[in-house]
Amino acid sequence: MKRVKINTLLASDEQIEKVIVKGWVRTKRDSKEFSFMELNDGSCLKNIQIIADSKLENYVEISSITTGSAVSIEGRLVESPGKGQKWEIHADKVDVISIAPEDYPLQKKRHSDEFLRTIAHLRARTNKYGAIFRIRSEMAFAIHKFYNEKGFRYLHTPIITGSDCEGAGEMFRVTALDPSSVAKAGKMDFHSDFFGQEANLTVSGQLSAEMFALALGDVYTFGPTFRAENSNTSRHVAEFWMVEPEMAFCDLNGNIDHAQELLKYLTKHAITNCSEDIALFTDFVDKELRKVLETLINEEYAKISYDEAVELLIKSGKNFEYKVVNGNDLQSEHERFLAEEYFKKPVFLMNYPKTIKPFYMRVNDDGRTVAAVDLLVPRIGELIGGSQREERLYILEERMEQMNLSKESYWWYLDSRRFGTVPHSGFGMGFERLLMLLTGVSNIRDVVPFPRTPGNIDF
RNA sequence: UCCCUAGUAGCUCAGUCGGCAGAGCAAGUGGCUGUUAACCACUGGGUCCGCGGUUCAAAUCCGUGCUAGGGAGCCA
């Protein structure tokens, strides 16, 4: 007989004479006559209550079951006379698969996120982390569903890349050379390395995605991204996942509309398909979350230019630690003011000065700004960063010269502006930051199964 | 990397002015109960983050290192 998962059993309309469930015991309460067990199999947040009668032949063994132990139960699914659950299982047979010894670190009580991070291999067995990783899985699916419905092609861009300066941050080197021989030689000899030149882990699939947008029309990438920045914050990890749509024949406004549509779609999907898990976060993690999610779905996001934002910040009369200067990048406190205090909803910031943005962003008619867009959301800051791309070859080359970039190493990128170039746009959305937004989890390390941060690669 | 704060039992934390190391939960044992963060009693459990210093005496004061959290920078 096949085992049935707990989410299926709890959704049952009628009692069932014979079922088999397998899972891990969250807690057990004993009495003389019988033993109550809360069983969880990861299929949903809720446990199912098992009643094991003391007349069962192996009741001595059953008595030894501890929190964390694995069991297989055969029994009857019946309505529960007790409070707190509709269904329970009266066990006819309890097979102990394995007993968790007394030093099992997870207790039947609330643990701090900091402690659970030190046992990342076990934390998914708690209510909160189980919920997080079910939502993570569901949202990854929702991204593919959204793009599939819209006719986008899913593109696998390289993880190992030869581009050495995409301008998105410090990169992790990839090499097949023996470190001790490199040390002996005193320097890296890239010519003798695997690729015959310097290689790194990708910091963005954008440049590759642009090439395919100019072939397949609308594409998106969704995969791991690596940044070797020594940043120690609750919003950064060294390895994270990013969604990067890239659309041909699309300008900045189309890009912004697409971003809003995506975020609304994903939020709705979470509420509809993860309602039980989301409720854990709205009830226990973040009391404001319900409101945040409703705003994400129902409201039109704010949309202002960089110049307007600067003016607005100056006029606010707020005493910022860093002075607001047109031409400088906005500081965290400025972004937070805009998203959290002023608009109180997501805000698109467009048309930044070209001096603070990368070479590939399209220069506006004013010659001073570029068609960039960032989406700032309350608490997290930048969720999305993107732009309309510079499709005019001569301007692109000019900008590369100004920024001292080697045109030779970008020959293939420049080729795309030589052959059938068209206006196109795209952006990157941090997948983990999306999960933080949708769950109210305040540290990015807690939405990654095994987070990688400076000085931390255990598990 | 910089600034701030913290590190005491398995977990969460208290520890006053420098003077015998504590609580709740967890664990173990026993009891009780259609229980549900079950309950009651008893028992065990400590490198007070490491190193150095001041002192008759340091969890407590000073220096330094490490780790964590919050903030900043960088960014998604």
Side-chain angles (χ1 to χ4, degrees):
Chain A
M1 206 177 146
K2 213 179 160 206
R3 84 171 162 118
V4 184
K5 293 205 176 171
I6 290 169
N7 59 346
T8 307
L9 289 177
L10 291 176
S12 181
D13 296 325
E14 50 186 7
Q15 80 172 56
I16 304 173
E17 280 312 304
K18 195 173 180 191
V19 294
I20 292 178
V21 282
K22 300 182 183 192
W24 296 269
V25 175
R26 284 291 174 81
T27 173
K28 183 166 70 83
R29 298 174 286 272
D30 292 324
S31 73
K32 233 181 223 143
E33 302 299 318
F34 31 67
S35 188
F36 296 96
M37 274 177 278
E38 296 281 340
L39 195 70
N40 189 286
D41 66 1
S43 62
C44 60
L45 183 63
K46 286 206 179 86
N47 307 320
I48 195 158
Q49 176 162 279
I50 311 292
I51 290 91
D53 199 280
S54 59
K55 293 189 188 82
L56 287 169
E57 55 164 4
N58 62 336
Y59 195 70
V60 175
E61 186 189 24
I62 292 169
S63 305
S64 72
I65 291 171
T66 54
T67 297
S69 298
V71 295
S72 172
I73 308 288
E74 195 180 308
R76 279 184 305 137
L77 182 77
V78 297
E79 280 193 55
S80 174
K83 284 199 185 94
Q85 63 277 321
K86 185 178 176 201
W87 296 109
E88 62 185 22
I89 294 174
H90 287 203
D92 296 319
K93 211 175 145 204
V94 175
D95 285 329
V96 176
I97 298 171
S98 66
I99 294 284
E102 65 197 55
D103 58 352
Y104 182 61
L106 292 171
Q107 303 163 8
K108 333 176 227 196
K109 65 167 224 168
R110 216 187 149 272
H111 287 289
S112 67
D113 294 323
E114 290 81 1
F115 170 67
L116 291 171
R117 245 169 254 154
T118 68
I119 49 166
H121 58 307
L122 299 174
R123 66 178 177 169
R125 301 184 187 192
T126 65
N127 288 340
K128 180 176 169 181
Y129 287 86
I132 287 172
F133 295 114
R134 274 188 299 272
I135 292 172
R136 185 176 170 118
S137 165
E138 188 60 34
M139 295 321 292
F141 167 70
I143 283 162
H144 289 302
K145 185 162 180 275
F146 174 81
Y147 281 114
N148 183 270
E149 286 169 6
K150 285 187 78 72
F152 279 56
R153 305 302 179 179
Y154 176 35
L155 176 67
H156 295 131
T157 50
I159 305 289
I160 302 174
T161 158
S163 318
D164 59 351
C165 52
E166 291 176 23
E170 289 295 310
M171 301 177 94
F172 286 104
R173 247 179 246 297
V174 175
T175 178
L177 293 175
D178 175 17
S180 60
S181 58
V182 173
K184 233 178 274 168
K187 64 175 168 60
M188 293 282 290
D189 176 18
F190 295 114
H191 295 290
S192 63
D193 203 350
F194 188 89
F195 297 107
Q197 60 174 13
E198 202 171 339
N200 298 292
L201 292 181
T202 183
V203 292
S204 163
Q206 180 200 319
L207 302 189
S208 315
E210 281 187 52
M211 301 306 103
F212 273 70
L214 298 177
L216 303 182
D218 294 326
V219 300
Y220 71 105
T221 76
F222 180 31
T225 307
F226 307 88
R227 304 275 166 91
E229 296 287 349
N230 185 17
S231 55
N232 240 302
T233 78
S234 56
R235 298 180 300 281
H236 293 88
V237 277
E239 177 181 323
F240 62 99
W241 280 55
M242 190 154 63
V243 187
E244 294 179 286
E246 195 68 39
M247 299 161 283
F249 312 107
C250 178
D251 65 9
L252 187 66
N253 282 321
N255 205 16
I256 290 171
D257 290 345
H258 177 85
Q260 179 172 302
E261 190 186 345
L262 172 66
L263 190 49
K264 283 181 183 290
Y265 180 97
L266 294 176
T267 310
K268 270 183 223 159
H269 187 96
I271 286 183
T272 313
N273 297 281
C274 311
S275 55
E276 191 185 65
D277 287 325
I278 291 283
L280 180 145
F281 296 96
T282 56
D283 293 347
F284 301 115
V285 175
D286 181 355
K287 300 282 183 206
E288 299 289 301
L289 182 59
R290 182 68 64 185
K291 231 166 66 191
V292 170
L293 297 177
E294 281 165 9
T295 303
L296 283 173
I297 292 173
N298 298 323
E299 294 209 29
E300 192 73 10
Y301 305 165
K303 211 166 124 179
I304 58 168
S305 71
Y306 168 89
D307 288 340
E308 287 167 332
V310 167
E311 203 175 314
L312 201 152
L313 286 163
I314 292 169
K315 272 202 202 144
S316 74
K318 269 274 186 183
N319 198 12
F320 293 115
E321 195 182 330
Y322 292 87
K323 213 178 144 198
V324 183
V325 179
N326 194 316
N328 287 4
D329 221 342
L330 297 182
Q331 304 287 319
S332 265
E333 55 175 346
H334 306 145
E335 298 185 344
R336 272 209 312 276
F337 172 79
L338 292 171
E340 290 170 14
E341 288 185 52
Y342 192 85
F343 290 109
K344 294 189 169 69
K345 62 181 178 182
V347 48
F348 287 107
L349 268 178
M350 321 169 291
N351 300 325
Y352 285 73
K354 67 177 178 187
T355 47
I356 56 172
K357 289 292 181 185
F359 73 97
Y360 53 74
M361 294 191 175
R362 190 179 196 277
V363 178
N364 288 322
D365 291 345
D366 62 12
R368 185 178 60 88
T369 59
V370 289
V373 60
D374 284 358
L375 178 66
L376 308 179
V377 297
R379 277 178 243 194
I380 289 151
E382 189 180 340
L383 174 68
I384 285 173
S387 68
Q388 182 172 341
R389 319 305 188 187
E390 182 56 76
E391 85 281 13
R392 297 160 297 187
L393 180 63
Y394 67 102
I395 297 181
L396 190 59
E397 288 182 325
E398 201 178 286
R399 289 219 73 204
M400 291 181 76
E401 278 162 24
Q402 285 165 3
M403 298 171 102
N404 275 326
L405 295 173
S406 143
K407 280 192 277 184
E408 287 69 38
S409 54
Y410 285 97
W411 65 272
W412 52 272
Y413 187 74
L414 292 169
D415 251 13
S416 70
R417 272 62 170 172
R418 205 167 280 132
F419 309 125
T421 187
V422 300
H424 61 286
S425 300
F427 60 80
M429 177 176 76
F431 184 56
E432 283 78 9
R433 288 187 181 174
L434 170 77
L435 294 174
M436 292 169 76
L437 180 66
L438 296 180
T439 58
V441 168
S442 57
N443 195 315
I444 197 166
R445 296 169 179 92
D446 296 335
V447 298
V448 181
F450 297 107
R452 274 80 178 89
T453 51
N456 207 334
I457 195 162
D458 284 344
F459 307 108

